[in-house]
Every structure is written in C-alpha cells, then in structure tokens.
Amino acid sequence: MNIQSNAVRRIMMHPAAEGGLSTSASFAAPGDARPNLIGETFRRIGEQGGTALIPFLTVGDPDIETTLEIIERLEDAGADILELGVPYSDPLADGPVIQRASSRALQQLITVRTCLDVAKKSRERGVKMPFVLFTYYNPVLQMGLNEFFDQASAHGISGLIIPDVPYEESGELLERADQAGIALIPLVAPTSSERIERILNNGRGFVYCVSSLGVTGERASFHEGVDAFIRDVKTRTELPVAVGFGISSREQVERFSELCDGVVVGSAIVRTIESLIPDLMNADKREDALLQIRKFVAELKV
C-alpha cells in the first residue's frame, strides 16, 4: 500500500486534529430521495431521549464468519450504528489493541472489498443498523473513487470516516460521497480550534468528537476541557454529535451521554474479542464466547 496522496503524506501524527470530512443529520445525496440511515437512527433515538451506542470492530478479526456473527450479536445487544474497521498495515490513529486486530485480519487477506462484502452479507442476514466504514485513504485510492463509492452504496454503507485526509483536501471525496448518498463524517479534536466552523459547514451524518489526543485506546481519564469542547461543538451545529477515542466502560458511556447524542466504543470491544479468540475458534465454546461479547456491549447501552 504505497500509493499516497499529498494529503496522506502531510498528515500529522494526530490525524483527528486535521479535521476530517463531513456530516448531516438527515442526509441524502442531491436529487436522491433515499434517506440516509444514520440520520433516521439519530432522529429515532433523539425522540426517545436516548444516546446512540456506536461500537467499532475490525472486519476479519479473527475471521469473516466470526465477524458476521459478532455483528448480529452487537445489534441484538442494542448497538445503534456500527463502525466497520478496514484493517490497515500502517494506521496513524489506531492504538495497539486495534493495530493487533488489523494484523490478525490482514493475515486473513482482508481488503476493503472484503469489508464491503461483509456489510452486504450482514444485510442479507437481516441486520438493520447503519454501517459506517472506517478506513484510511490508500485502500480507497487503490480501488478508485468511482468504484469504491459505487460499491459502498450498493453494499449498504451509510457513512464513511477517513482520518488521514484533512478537511482542506476532502473536496473530491465529499463530492463523490454526496453522489453516492454516503455521509462523509468528520473527526474534530480539541486542537481543531478555529477550523471547527469550516469543518462543520460541510457536514454529513454526524460529528465525531475526539475525546482524547493521540491514538485510540482505553483510558481512565480524558483530555482536560473535553466537556467544554463538546458543548462548544454542539453550539455550532444542528447535527448529531458523537464522542469517541478511549471510552471503554458503562460509567464512561453514561458520563458522555449527558453531553452528546452518541458514544463510540472501539478498543474495549476489540480487546474483548481478542481475549475470546481461543474460545471463538473452539466449536464447543464458540456460542458462549459470542454471548460474552453480546453481554459486554449490552452493558454499555444506556
């Protein structure tokens, strides 16, 4: 994966601070009558006075069939939106837990096309929640923008996060995503400062607020001033606001649910899957391991 755009080459060590891409509460592409599932989901949860639970998992960890079964269990557990992580060999925003998951998935030869197929197969199995694909730019570039967005739309992807493309260089991606009816979702961090306004103005889907500086991973504490940062973002947009990076317990989910519309939990779920891989690969213990993953996620739902 050596093909890189200028945007990728210039990325900072904390790519979330670069802004990201886009957002909208009830997004449909211009001239497209189809409502985006992300907007519908946030609207429904908002009417119920709840907070969206947005798990993240690495597709293909430990294998495709297990990923498909975990996705079903996550929806059963109360997940509202699911981030499907495309494994990548040189991640800039991912901490060690997700890096290990990516390494395991890459050993299974998982590609962005595989991840799109997983989304399609999940739909065929009856999964209804919106899918947000989390990928770095290089796999998209290698596939080709037109084919990528055509396939993503056809395979049931509602949103897209690409953390290593800064807002200033996202124009072509935004245009193509709009045509496909897919929401390009921005990452905004406390360090985004004066750039936040410009980032939010081109929003689709929801705003992803980064709670901690650095890479993903479970944390006991968060960036000082994160509450004020989230409140500031909410005053600047009518779009749903979700918070992620480091959130790993029900207590932390409850804490942030008082401030925002959605909470993303990634590393804690990926670590739980990692700890259960031996059982997931054992036919006699597999179902119990899947139930443990379901139980962990269900306890995060507030």
Side-chain angles (χ1 to χ4, degrees):
M1 298 184 182
N2 294 321
I3 300 175
Q4 297 281 342
S5 70
N6 289 336
V8 176
R9 293 183 187 278
R10 291 200 296 269
I11 245 353
M12 295 161 43
M13 288 306 294
H14 178 57
E18 274 297 301
L21 304 166
S22 54
T23 45
S24 162
S26 181
F27 172 72
D32 190 341
R34 297 171 300 165
N36 187 282
L37 288 177
I38 295 171
E40 292 184 328
T41 298
F42 274 110
R43 188 183 310 109
R44 171 180 53 79
I45 295 170
E47 290 173 351
Q48 296 170 351
T51 302
L53 176 61
I54 309 174
F56 169 99
L57 59 81
T58 301
V59 175
D61 178 34
D63 59 36
I64 289 300
E65 179 57 33
T66 305
T67 294
L68 288 166
E69 293 191 46
I70 290 173
I71 290 172
E72 293 176 306
R73 300 310 195 281
L74 294 184
E75 185 166 70
D76 290 344
D80 298 296
I81 298 170
L82 179 62
E83 281 189 39
L84 295 172
V86 178
Y88 191 59
S89 59
D90 189 26
L92 296 177
D94 296 327
V97 172
I98 295 177
Q99 287 183 31
R100 292 196 301 270
S102 285
S103 179
R104 291 190 295 269
L106 289 171
Q107 291 175 13
Q108 302 289 326
L109 304 181
I110 304 302
T111 67
V112 67
R113 293 178 186 273
T114 315
C115 297
L116 295 176
D117 286 341
V118 164
K120 181 180 180 180
K121 289 177 181 177
S122 293
R123 290 281 181 257
E124 293 171 351
R125 291 182 177 210
V127 175
K128 305 297 184 185
M129 61 184 166
F131 294 138
V132 174
L133 198 70
F134 185 106
T135 181
Y136 292 89
Y137 184 60
N138 219 13
V140 176
L141 181 66
Q142 289 192 341
M143 189 171 178
L145 292 185
N146 288 338
E147 183 178 0
F148 171 79
F149 281 109
D150 287 347
Q151 292 298 314
S153 179
H155 286 63
I157 299 298
S158 297
L160 177 65
I161 297 173
I162 306 183
D164 59 348
V165 176
Y167 156 76
E168 288 81 1
E169 299 186 22
S170 64
E172 185 178 7
L173 282 168
L174 177 59
E175 180 180 358
R176 191 62 190 84
D178 281 354
Q179 293 170 359
I182 294 173
L184 245 63
I185 296 163
L187 294 169
V188 293
T191 52
S192 299
S193 58
E194 71 278 357
R195 300 173 67 255
I196 292 178
E197 199 77 43
R198 285 174 288 158
I199 295 167
L200 297 181
N201 284 341
N202 285 326
R204 308 281 187 271
F206 63 92
V207 181
Y208 190 136
C209 285
V210 176
S211 65
S212 305
L213 299 182
V215 297
T216 60
E218 300 165 75
R219 289 176 172 83
S221 60
F222 298 89
H223 179 266
E224 183 179 355
V226 65
D227 290 21
F229 161 63
I230 295 168
R231 291 190 184 99
D232 179 52
V233 171
K234 285 187 67 67
T235 63
R236 300 185 188 212
T237 181
E238 296 181 357
L239 307 173
V241 173
V243 179
F245 277 51
I247 300 171
S248 59
S249 67
R250 180 180 176 85
E251 181 181 15
Q252 291 173 343
V253 171
E254 290 176 341
R255 173 198 188 299
F256 284 106
S257 68
E258 297 178 1
L259 298 169
C260 61
D261 307 293
V263 178
V264 181
V265 181
S267 294
I269 295 172
V270 176
R271 176 184 52 76
T272 300
I273 294 170
E274 179 180 52
S275 70
L276 291 168
I277 287 176
D279 289 349
L280 289 167
M281 298 294 97
N282 184 320
D284 294 331
K285 299 181 179 180
R286 182 180 180 86
E287 185 59 33
D288 182 65
L290 290 168
L291 289 173
Q292 288 185 57
I293 295 168
R294 182 191 185 283
K295 180 175 183 292
F296 178 79
V297 174
E299 290 174 349
L300 296 172
K301 181 68 176 177
V302 298

